[in-house]
Amino acid sequence: AEFLSLFSSSLCFWLTNPITFVLPTTLSSPWTVYLALSWTILASAIFCWIMSLLTGNLSQIDRLWSVLPPLYSLLITILTEDKGGLNAVLSLVTVIWGSRLTLQFVWKGGYTLEGEDYRWAYVKDVFGGNKLVLHIFNLFFVVIYQSILLLLLVTPQLALIGEDMALTTLDTILAGIFLFLVAMETLADCQQQAFQRRKYSSNQVGEGDGEVRDGFVQSGLWAYCRHPNFLCEILIWWVFAMIPLSRVGCGWSLVGAVNLTGLFTGSQDLTEQISASKYPEYRRYQETVPAFIPSVRMMTIKRRD
């Protein structure tokens, strides 16, 4: 009842004040902030949909993945009454995360016209050339759902509106863990990139050292779990959600982390199907190395090695 009352009053405010819907001044309710930022969800979804139709490249939302959460976080800090303390720290760590991921995406050529995720070729095969169904899938699951998800990731910051924003020791520890996970994800990506350079410096799979012959990275963090970068990305947003949860016990602040976990789990399944179809040794890798969480026994064995 309280949620419906807050939401309806916020909606009435925006309907009777349309100018502040686009350019609000200051907001004091999570629901008014949601409505204030909804225009960016609409704009990003329309942009990605039109660009995918014009270019045939269905990876448009990937280009906004590292940009929108920091933008949302900064806007929340600016639009809410408390512009310092914990809000500033949350925006800072989110900007660091986004900057790192953007540079990674630039290095991979993700912002070029041809920069489409390689997995789309396999997804298109699943739809058997039915472009209508493919574009419906792209519109609803990729463009609309993921545009909403990018705002949901910073929902924990909204849960803190109206709360005491003074930094605590636990806040500092959680922010440090967040940055540590960003560093670990960076390391995993760098190890993958170094492997890819070695792989493509050989003439073909089957030449070079052991993992180059196999065709996929198995060293460094990738020796402990098959998707260390996915694991770090998921944990980053769970840690982000822990900050308001530890203060106000707001369960709905977890919705972004929960949805991201489901999305990455599905993405992992597709990635592994592709790898197993390309590289015969990948089945052995799946049998011996966990997907996400390495066992204590495995970590002990790796350290001895």
Side-chain angles (χ1 to χ4, degrees):
E2 182 182 357
F3 165 78
L4 293 175
S5 175
L6 281 170
F7 185 82
S8 60
S9 63
S10 301
L11 182 61
C12 289
F13 172 80
W14 294 119
L15 291 176
T16 54
N17 299 269
I19 293 179
T20 55
F21 176 80
V22 179
L23 192 62
T25 54
T26 184
L27 303 168
S28 57
S29 163
W31 315 114
T32 55
V33 177
Y34 263 126
L35 288 169
L37 295 178
S38 62
W39 64 269
T40 59
I41 295 177
L42 180 63
S44 63
I46 291 174
F47 169 79
C48 291
W49 174 244
I50 292 176
M51 289 299 295
S52 67
L53 292 176
L54 291 177
T55 64
N57 185 330
L58 301 183
S59 287
Q60 301 301 324
I61 194 67
D62 295 349
R63 303 177 180 192
L64 301 179
W65 191 271
S66 61
V67 176
L68 289 181
L71 174 63
Y72 291 144
S73 181
L74 289 170
L75 287 174
I76 291 169
T77 298
I78 293 169
L79 297 178
T80 53
E81 294 175 353
D82 192 320
K83 297 177 174 57
L86 183 56
N87 249 346
V89 170
L90 292 175
S91 291
L92 175 62
V93 298
T94 308
V95 167
I96 291 172
W97 165 86
S99 300
R100 200 286 309 180
L101 197 57
T102 299
L103 290 174
Q104 166 77 9
F105 202 61
V106 169
W107 185 91
K108 292 172 61 178
Y111 290 106
T112 62
L113 190 62
E114 301 81 13
E116 184 177 62
D117 191 312
Y118 74 96
R119 290 169 293 190
W120 271 113
Y122 295 87
V123 173
K124 291 173 183 177
D125 287 342
V126 170
F127 288 104
N130 190 325
K131 291 187 177 181
L132 176 61
V133 177
L134 175 65
H135 284 297
I136 290 175
F137 171 81
N138 179 46
L139 173 62
F140 287 99
F141 178 72
V142 179
V143 172
I144 296 178
Y145 169 65
Q146 293 188 32
S147 293
I148 295 172
L149 173 58
L150 293 177
L151 176 58
L152 293 179
L153 289 178
V154 296
T155 291
Q157 196 169 346
L158 293 177
L160 293 169
I161 293 177
E163 301 295 329
D164 180 10
M165 299 295 280
L167 278 173
T168 66
T169 301
L170 182 57
D171 295 333
T172 304
I173 292 172
L174 290 173
I177 295 173
F178 183 105
L179 295 176
F180 171 76
L181 290 168
V182 170
M184 293 299 287
E185 185 176 15
T186 303
L187 176 60
D189 285 338
C190 288
Q191 290 172 345
Q192 176 70 265
Q193 291 166 11
F195 167 77
Q196 293 297 330
R197 286 194 295 270
R198 287 193 291 115
K199 175 181 173 180
Y200 289 105
S201 66
S202 302
N203 292 328
Q204 58 186 9
V205 173
E207 298 183 1
D209 58 38
E211 61 181 355
V212 170
R213 287 196 301 271
D214 291 341
F216 54 93
V217 62
Q218 303 162 60
S219 57
L221 296 178
W222 302 83
Y224 296 97
C225 66
R226 302 196 300 271
H227 303 282
N229 51 349
F230 282 13
L231 174 62
C232 290
E233 185 69 12
I234 291 170
L235 291 178
I236 280 170
W237 294 107
W238 277 98
V239 169
F240 193 83
M242 288 297 107
I243 295 176
L245 197 65
S246 65
R247 285 170 169 255
V248 297
C250 188
W252 57 266
S253 67
L254 298 174
V255 65
V258 170
N259 276 271
L260 183 74
T261 302
L263 179 66
F264 271 49
T265 301
S267 177
Q268 171 245 328
D269 290 340
L270 175 61
T271 301
E272 297 217 327
Q273 289 175 23
I274 296 170
S275 296
S277 68
K278 293 170 63 178
Y279 311 118
E281 286 297 312
Y282 198 81
R283 295 291 185 189
R284 174 194 53 78
Y285 182 56
Q286 288 177 305
E287 293 172 357
T288 56
V289 179
F292 292 115
I293 309 298
S295 65
V296 175
R297 178 176 176 274
M298 169 173 287
M299 294 178 70
T300 302
I301 292 173
K302 294 294 182 183
R303 282 199 298 269
R304 288 175 181 171
D305 292 343

Coordinates of all heavy atoms in Angstrom, one line a residue, residues 80-127:
T80 N 19.4 13.9 -6.0 CA 19.0 13.8 -4.6 C 19.6 14.8 -3.8 O 20.5 15.5 -4.1 CB 19.4 12.4 -4.1 OG1 20.8 12.1 -4.3 CG2 18.6 11.3 -4.9
E81 N 19.0 15.0 -2.6 CA 19.4 16.1 -1.7 C 20.8 15.9 -1.1 O 21.5 16.8 -0.9 CB 18.4 16.2 -0.5 CG 17.0 16.6 -1.0 CD 16.0 16.6 0.1 OE1 16.3 16.1 1.2 OE2 14.9 17.0 -0.2
D82 N 21.3 14.6 -0.9 CA 22.6 14.4 -0.4 C 23.6 14.1 -1.5 O 23.5 13.1 -2.2 CB 22.6 13.1 0.5 CG 23.9 13.0 1.3 OD1 24.9 13.3 0.8 OD2 23.8 12.6 2.5
K83 N 24.5 15.1 -1.7 CA 25.4 15.0 -2.8 C 26.8 14.7 -2.4 O 27.8 14.7 -3.2 CB 25.4 16.4 -3.6 CG 24.1 16.7 -4.2 CD 24.1 18.0 -4.9 CE 22.8 18.3 -5.7 NZ 21.6 18.2 -4.8
G84 N 27.0 14.3 -1.1 CA 28.3 13.9 -0.6 C 28.3 12.6 0.1 O 27.4 11.8 0.0
G85 N 29.4 12.4 0.8 CA 29.4 11.2 1.6 C 29.3 9.9 0.8 O 30.0 9.7 -0.2
L86 N 28.4 9.0 1.2 CA 28.3 7.7 0.6 C 27.9 7.8 -0.9 O 28.4 7.0 -1.7 CB 27.3 6.8 1.4 CG 27.1 5.4 0.9 CD1 28.4 4.7 0.9 CD2 26.1 4.7 1.8
N87 N 27.0 8.7 -1.2 CA 26.6 8.9 -2.6 C 27.8 9.2 -3.5 O 27.9 8.6 -4.6 CB 25.6 10.1 -2.7 CG 24.2 9.6 -3.0 OD1 24.0 8.4 -3.4 ND2 23.2 10.4 -2.9
A88 N 28.7 10.0 -3.0 CA 29.9 10.4 -3.8 C 30.8 9.2 -4.0 O 31.3 8.9 -5.1 CB 30.6 11.5 -3.2
V89 N 30.9 8.3 -3.0 CA 31.7 7.1 -3.0 C 31.1 6.1 -4.0 O 31.9 5.5 -4.8 CB 31.9 6.5 -1.7 CG1 32.6 5.1 -1.8 CG2 32.7 7.4 -0.8
L90 N 29.8 5.9 -3.9 CA 29.2 5.0 -4.9 C 29.3 5.5 -6.3 O 29.5 4.6 -7.2 CB 27.7 4.9 -4.5 CG 27.4 4.2 -3.1 CD1 25.9 4.2 -2.8 CD2 27.9 2.8 -3.1
S91 N 29.2 6.7 -6.5 CA 29.3 7.2 -7.9 C 30.8 7.1 -8.4 O 31.1 6.7 -9.5 CB 28.9 8.7 -8.0 OG 27.5 8.9 -7.8
L92 N 31.7 7.3 -7.5 CA 33.2 7.2 -7.8 C 33.5 5.8 -8.2 O 34.1 5.5 -9.3 CB 34.0 7.6 -6.6 CG 35.5 7.4 -6.8 CD1 36.0 8.3 -8.0 CD2 36.3 7.8 -5.5
V93 N 33.1 4.8 -7.4 CA 33.5 3.4 -7.7 C 32.8 2.9 -9.0 O 33.3 2.1 -9.8 CB 33.2 2.4 -6.6 CG1 34.0 2.8 -5.4 CG2 31.7 2.4 -6.2
T94 N 31.5 3.4 -9.2 CA 30.8 3.0 -10.4 C 31.5 3.6 -11.7 O 31.6 3.0 -12.7 CB 29.4 3.5 -10.4 OG1 28.8 3.0 -9.1 CG2 28.5 3.0 -11.5
V95 N 32.0 4.9 -11.6 CA 32.7 5.5 -12.7 C 34.0 4.8 -13.0 O 34.3 4.6 -14.1 CB 32.9 7.0 -12.4 CG1 33.9 7.6 -13.4 CG2 31.6 7.8 -12.4
I96 N 34.7 4.3 -11.9 CA 35.9 3.6 -12.1 C 35.6 2.3 -12.9 O 36.3 1.9 -13.8 CB 36.6 3.3 -10.8 CG1 37.2 4.6 -10.2 CG2 37.7 2.3 -10.9 CD1 37.7 4.5 -8.8
W97 N 34.5 1.6 -12.4 CA 34.1 0.3 -13.1 C 33.8 0.6 -14.6 O 34.3 -0.1 -15.4 CB 32.9 -0.2 -12.4 CG 32.2 -1.3 -13.2 CD1 32.4 -2.6 -13.2 CD2 31.1 -1.1 -14.0 NE1 31.6 -3.3 -14.0 CE2 30.7 -2.3 -14.6 CE3 30.3 0.0 -14.4 CZ2 29.6 -2.5 -15.5 CZ3 29.3 -0.1 -15.3 CH2 28.9 -1.4 -15.8
G98 N 33.0 1.6 -14.8 CA 32.6 1.9 -16.2 C 33.7 2.3 -17.1 O 33.8 2.0 -18.3
S99 N 34.7 3.1 -16.5 CA 35.8 3.6 -17.3 C 36.7 2.4 -17.7 O 37.1 2.3 -18.9 CB 36.6 4.6 -16.5 OG 35.9 5.7 -16.2
R100 N 36.9 1.5 -16.8 CA 37.7 0.3 -17.1 C 37.1 -0.5 -18.2 O 37.7 -1.0 -19.2 CB 37.9 -0.5 -15.8 CG 39.0 -1.5 -15.8 CD 38.9 -2.7 -16.5 NE 37.7 -3.5 -16.3 CZ 37.4 -4.6 -17.0 NH1 38.3 -5.1 -17.8 NH2 36.3 -5.3 -16.8
L101 N 35.8 -0.8 -18.1 CA 35.0 -1.6 -19.0 C 35.0 -0.9 -20.4 O 35.0 -1.6 -21.4 CB 33.6 -1.9 -18.5 CG 32.9 -3.1 -19.1 CD1 33.7 -4.4 -19.0 CD2 31.5 -3.2 -18.5
T102 N 34.8 0.4 -20.4 CA 34.8 1.1 -21.7 C 36.1 1.0 -22.4 O 36.1 0.7 -23.6 CB 34.4 2.6 -21.4 OG1 33.1 2.7 -20.8 CG2 34.4 3.4 -22.8
L103 N 37.2 1.2 -21.7 CA 38.5 1.0 -22.3 C 38.7 -0.4 -22.9 O 39.3 -0.6 -24.0 CB 39.6 1.4 -21.3 CG 39.7 2.8 -20.9 CD1 40.7 3.0 -19.8 CD2 40.1 3.7 -22.1
Q104 N 38.2 -1.4 -22.1 CA 38.3 -2.8 -22.6 C 37.5 -3.0 -23.8 O 38.0 -3.6 -24.8 CB 37.8 -3.7 -21.4 CG 37.5 -5.1 -21.9 CD 38.7 -6.0 -22.0 OE1 39.8 -5.5 -21.6 NE2 38.6 -7.2 -22.5
F105 N 36.4 -2.4 -23.9 CA 35.5 -2.5 -25.1 C 36.1 -1.8 -26.3 O 36.0 -2.3 -27.4 CB 34.1 -2.0 -24.8 CG 33.0 -2.5 -25.6 CD1 32.7 -3.9 -25.6 CD2 32.2 -1.7 -26.4 CE1 31.7 -4.4 -26.4 CE2 31.2 -2.2 -27.2 CZ 31.0 -3.5 -27.2
V106 N 36.7 -0.7 -26.1 CA 37.4 0.1 -27.1 C 38.5 -0.8 -27.7 O 38.7 -0.9 -28.9 CB 37.9 1.4 -26.7 CG1 38.8 2.0 -27.7 CG2 36.8 2.4 -26.3
W107 N 39.3 -1.4 -26.8 CA 40.5 -2.2 -27.2 C 40.0 -3.4 -28.1 O 40.7 -3.8 -29.0 CB 41.2 -2.7 -26.0 CG 42.4 -3.5 -26.3 CD1 43.7 -3.0 -26.4 CD2 42.5 -4.9 -26.6 NE1 44.6 -4.0 -26.8 CE2 43.9 -5.2 -26.8 CE3 41.6 -5.9 -26.6 CZ2 44.4 -6.4 -27.1 CZ3 42.1 -7.2 -26.9 CH2 43.4 -7.5 -27.2
K108 N 38.8 -4.0 -27.7 CA 38.3 -5.1 -28.5 C 37.6 -4.7 -29.8 O 37.2 -5.5 -30.6 CB 37.3 -5.9 -27.6 CG 37.9 -6.6 -26.4 CD 36.9 -7.1 -25.5 CE 36.0 -8.2 -26.2 NZ 35.0 -8.8 -25.3
G109 N 37.5 -3.4 -30.0 CA 36.9 -2.9 -31.3 C 35.4 -2.9 -31.2 O 34.7 -3.0 -32.2
G110 N 34.8 -2.9 -30.0 CA 33.4 -3.0 -29.8 C 32.6 -1.8 -30.3 O 31.4 -1.9 -30.6
Y111 N 33.3 -0.6 -30.5 CA 32.6 0.6 -31.0 C 32.7 0.8 -32.5 O 32.3 1.8 -33.0 CB 33.1 1.8 -30.2 CG 32.7 1.8 -28.8 CD1 33.6 1.6 -27.7 CD2 31.4 2.1 -28.4 CE1 33.2 1.6 -26.4 CE2 31.0 2.2 -27.1 CZ 31.9 1.9 -26.1 OH 31.5 1.9 -24.8
T112 N 33.4 -0.2 -33.1 CA 33.4 -0.1 -34.6 C 32.1 -0.6 -35.2 O 31.3 -1.3 -34.5 CB 34.6 -1.0 -35.2 OG1 34.3 -2.3 -34.8 CG2 35.9 -0.5 -34.6
L113 N 31.8 -0.3 -36.4 CA 30.6 -0.6 -37.1 C 30.4 -2.1 -37.1 O 29.3 -2.7 -37.0 CB 30.5 0.0 -38.5 CG 29.2 -0.1 -39.2 CD1 28.1 0.6 -38.5 CD2 29.3 0.4 -40.6
E114 N 31.5 -2.8 -37.3 CA 31.5 -4.3 -37.4 C 31.6 -5.0 -36.1 O 31.6 -6.2 -36.0 CB 32.6 -4.8 -38.3 CG 32.6 -4.2 -39.7 CD 33.2 -2.8 -39.8 OE1 33.9 -2.4 -38.8 OE2 33.0 -2.1 -40.8
G115 N 31.7 -4.2 -35.0 CA 32.0 -4.8 -33.7 C 30.8 -5.5 -33.0 O 30.2 -5.0 -32.1
E116 N 30.4 -6.7 -33.6 CA 29.2 -7.4 -33.1 C 29.7 -8.6 -32.3 O 30.7 -9.3 -32.7 CB 28.3 -7.9 -34.2 CG 27.1 -8.6 -33.7 CD 26.1 -9.0 -34.9 OE1 26.6 -9.8 -35.7 OE2 25.0 -8.6 -34.9
D117 N 29.1 -8.9 -31.1 CA 29.5 -10.0 -30.3 C 29.4 -11.3 -31.2 O 28.4 -11.6 -31.9 CB 28.5 -10.1 -29.1 CG 29.0 -11.2 -28.1 OD1 29.3 -12.3 -28.5 OD2 28.9 -10.8 -26.9
Y118 N 30.5 -12.1 -31.1 CA 30.6 -13.3 -32.0 C 29.5 -14.3 -31.7 O 29.1 -15.1 -32.6 CB 31.9 -14.0 -31.8 CG 32.1 -14.8 -30.4 CD1 31.8 -16.1 -30.4 CD2 32.5 -14.1 -29.3 CE1 31.9 -16.8 -29.2 CE2 32.6 -14.8 -28.1 CZ 32.3 -16.1 -28.0 OH 32.4 -16.8 -26.8
R119 N 28.8 -14.2 -30.5 CA 27.8 -15.2 -30.2 C 26.5 -14.9 -31.0 O 25.6 -15.8 -31.1 CB 27.5 -15.1 -28.7 CG 28.6 -15.7 -27.8 CD 28.5 -15.4 -26.4 NE 28.6 -14.0 -26.1 CZ 28.7 -13.5 -24.8 NH1 28.7 -14.4 -23.8 NH2 28.9 -12.2 -24.6
W120 N 26.3 -13.7 -31.5 CA 25.1 -13.4 -32.3 C 25.0 -14.3 -33.5 O 23.9 -14.6 -33.9 CB 25.1 -11.9 -32.7 CG 24.4 -11.1 -31.6 CD1 24.9 -10.1 -30.9 CD2 23.0 -11.1 -31.3 NE1 24.0 -9.5 -30.0 CE2 22.8 -10.1 -30.3 CE3 21.9 -11.9 -31.7 CZ2 21.6 -9.9 -29.7 CZ3 20.7 -11.7 -31.1 CH2 20.5 -10.7 -30.1
A121 N 26.2 -14.7 -34.1 CA 26.1 -15.5 -35.3 C 25.5 -16.8 -34.9 O 24.7 -17.4 -35.8 CB 27.5 -15.8 -35.8
Y122 N 25.7 -17.4 -33.8 CA 25.1 -18.6 -33.3 C 23.6 -18.4 -33.0 O 22.8 -19.3 -33.2 CB 25.9 -19.2 -32.1 CG 27.3 -19.6 -32.5 CD1 28.3 -18.6 -32.4 CD2 27.6 -20.9 -32.9 CE1 29.6 -19.0 -32.8 CE2 28.9 -21.2 -33.3 CZ 29.9 -20.3 -33.2 OH 31.2 -20.6 -33.5
V123 N 23.3 -17.3 -32.3 CA 21.9 -17.0 -32.0 C 21.1 -16.9 -33.3 O 20.0 -17.4 -33.4 CB 21.8 -15.7 -31.2 CG1 20.4 -15.3 -31.0 CG2 22.5 -15.9 -29.8
K124 N 21.7 -16.2 -34.3 CA 20.9 -16.1 -35.6 C 20.7 -17.5 -36.2 O 19.6 -17.7 -36.8 CB 21.7 -15.2 -36.5 CG 21.8 -13.7 -36.1 CD 22.7 -12.9 -37.0 CE 22.8 -11.5 -36.5 NZ 23.8 -10.7 -37.3
D125 N 21.6 -18.4 -36.0 CA 21.4 -19.7 -36.6 C 20.2 -20.4 -35.9 O 19.5 -21.2 -36.5 CB 22.7 -20.6 -36.4 CG 23.7 -20.1 -37.4 OD1 23.4 -19.5 -38.4 OD2 24.9 -20.5 -37.2
V126 N 20.1 -20.2 -34.5 CA 19.0 -20.8 -33.8 C 17.7 -20.4 -34.3 O 16.7 -21.2 -34.4 CB 19.2 -20.4 -32.3 CG1 17.9 -20.8 -31.5 CG2 20.4 -21.0 -31.7
F127 N 17.6 -19.1 -34.8 CA 16.3 -18.7 -35.3 C 16.1 -19.1 -36.8 O 15.1 -18.7 -37.4 CB 16.2 -17.1 -35.2 CG 16.0 -16.7 -33.7 CD1 17.0 -16.2 -33.0 CD2 14.8 -16.8 -33.1 CE1 16.9 -15.7 -31.7 CE2 14.6 -16.4 -31.8 CZ 15.6 -15.9 -31.1

